[in-house]
């Protein structure tokens, strides 16, 4: 029995990998994510100079790790598109019927697609984060953000810095899972991308517009992007609305809820 289930899972993984590998959008969306994330992060650190105010003033101390990862704000858009297309293309071409006919265990189909897409995103995210780290270290040191000037260097040997960079990779992987779940529910590329853009990008704008500090804090805690990206903070953690790992946990809850809903509807609805 266990061997049979393992064979089904292996076939499902291979099928999903083949579909993702041969999908025309896969290469350019992953490349767009890497280039956008790395390029924006590099541009921000290249243009950054030490402030004139005293280093003893906390408001003048830049969170260098977070700034070098600024490109994630736009880079995640490519992740949304890739995950959406990996699902909705099958529905829009009716290929999902062939998929479910060859693998009737719908949980296996969902799990295999989640593993394959998330693995591809995590691999590309790791590359983009490493490039951001190397570029940030080079540019910031050249701009005067050195240890002799009192600044902590960008190094994975530093615990908070490692959390920021490693957590960013996890963040993008969770965005992929959230996008997959929504795509299985909506079954339409434009609708899926629109919902995810609203979910991720509108809440941070609302938090800026809201003047009531209690509502502002609540929105930041509940927003998947704002809460999730708190994992990038390395300074002034007590001033954040939510702790780094707790914030990433909020995004994980959104992803789990989306996937659970997707699995339920996958069983209840026809292909």
């Amino acid at each position: 029995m266990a061997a049979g289930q393992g064979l089904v899972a292996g076939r499902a993984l291979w099928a999903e990998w083949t579909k993702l590998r041969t999908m025309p959008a896969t290469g350019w969306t992953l490349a767009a994510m890497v280039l956008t994330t790395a390029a924006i992060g590099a541009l921000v650190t290249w243009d950054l100079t030490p402030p004139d105010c005293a280093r003893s003033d906390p408001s003048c101390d830049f969170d260098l790790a977070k700034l070098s990862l600024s490109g994630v704000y736009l880079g995640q858009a490519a992740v949304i598109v890739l995950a959406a297309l990996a699902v909705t293309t099958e529905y829009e071409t009716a290929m999902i019927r062939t998929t479910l006919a060859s693998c009737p265990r719908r949980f296996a189909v969902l799990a295999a697609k989640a593993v394959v897409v998330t693995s591809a995103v995590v691999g590309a995210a790791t590359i983009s984060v490493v490039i951001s780290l190397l570029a940030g270290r080079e540019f910031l040191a050249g701009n005067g953000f050195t240890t002799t000037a009192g600044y902590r260097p960008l190094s994975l040997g530093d615990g908070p810095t490692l959390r920021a960079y490693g957590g960013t990779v996890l963040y993008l992987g969770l965005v992929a899972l959230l996008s997959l779940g929504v795509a299985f529910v909506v079954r339409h590329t434009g609708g899926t991308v629109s919902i995810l853009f609203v979910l991720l990008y509108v809440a941070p704008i609302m938090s800026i517009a809201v003047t009531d500090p209690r509502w502002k804090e609540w929105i930041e805690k509940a927003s998947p992007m704002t809460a999730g990206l708190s994992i990038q903070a390395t300074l002034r953690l007590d001033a954040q609305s939510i702790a780094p790992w707790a914030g990433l946990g909020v995004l994980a809850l959104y992803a789990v809820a989306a996937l659970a809903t997707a699995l339920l509807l996958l069983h209840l609805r026809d292909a």
Side-chain angles (χ1 to χ4, degrees), residues 48-108:
L48 195 66
T49 55
D52 295 329
C53 51
R55 286 280 291 113
S56 57
D57 183 356
S59 64
C60 294
D61 193 7
F62 293 137
D63 193 334
L64 301 180
K66 186 173 184 177
L67 288 172
S68 71
L69 293 167
S70 300
V72 172
Y73 286 91
L74 286 181
Q76 66 183 339
V79 176
I80 293 171
V81 173
L82 174 64
L85 288 174
V87 176
T88 57
T89 298
E90 288 199 64
Y91 280 102
E92 292 171 356
T93 60
M95 185 180 175
I96 190 67
R97 296 176 183 174
T98 304
T99 297
L100 296 178
S102 61
C103 184
R105 295 181 179 176
R106 301 193 174 196
F107 174 77

Side-chain angles (χ1 to χ4, degrees), residues 45-46 48 50 64 133-149 151-154:
T45 52
W46 171 76
L48 195 66
L64 301 180
L133 171 65
L134 296 177
R137 180 185 295 172
E138 183 69 22
F139 290 137
L140 290 170
N143 290 344
F145 292 94
T146 61
T147 53
T148 56
Y151 291 95
R152 185 169 59 197
L154 292 182

Side-chain angles (χ1 to χ4, degrees), residues 61-200:
D61 193 7
F62 293 137
D63 193 334
L64 301 180
K66 186 173 184 177
L67 288 172
S68 71
L69 293 167
S70 300
V72 172
Y73 286 91
L74 286 181
Q76 66 183 339
V79 176
I80 293 171
V81 173
L82 174 64
L85 288 174
V87 176
T88 57
T89 298
E90 288 199 64
Y91 280 102
E92 292 171 356
T93 60
M95 185 180 175
I96 190 67
R97 296 176 183 174
T98 304
T99 297
L100 296 178
S102 61
C103 184
R105 295 181 179 176
R106 301 193 174 196
F107 174 77
V109 172
L110 177 61
K113 195 176 288 289
V115 168
V116 169
V117 173
T118 305
S119 296
V121 168
V122 166
T126 301
I127 295 172
S128 64
V129 162
V130 169
I131 295 174
S132 297
L133 171 65
L134 296 177
R137 180 185 295 172
E138 183 69 22
F139 290 137
L140 290 170
N143 290 344
F145 292 94
T146 61
T147 53
T148 56
Y151 291 95
R152 185 169 59 197
L154 292 182
S155 171
L156 296 182
D158 176 65
T161 302
L162 177 61
R163 169 178 48 73
Y165 284 91
T168 297
V169 174
L170 295 177
Y171 172 86
L172 290 171
L174 288 171
V175 169
L177 290 174
L178 172 61
S179 303
L180 278 170
V182 174
F184 268 108
V185 173
V186 178
R187 300 182 173 189
H188 183 270
T189 305
T192 299
V193 172
S194 298
I195 289 172
L196 287 163
F197 273 33
V198 169
L199 185 62
L200 292 177

Side-chain angles (χ1 to χ4, degrees), residues 223-241:
S223 165
M225 184 172 80
T226 305
L229 287 179
S230 64
I231 195 69
Q232 294 181 343
T234 63
L235 298 176
R236 300 179 292 279
L237 300 184
D238 55 341
Q240 290 200 143
S241 299

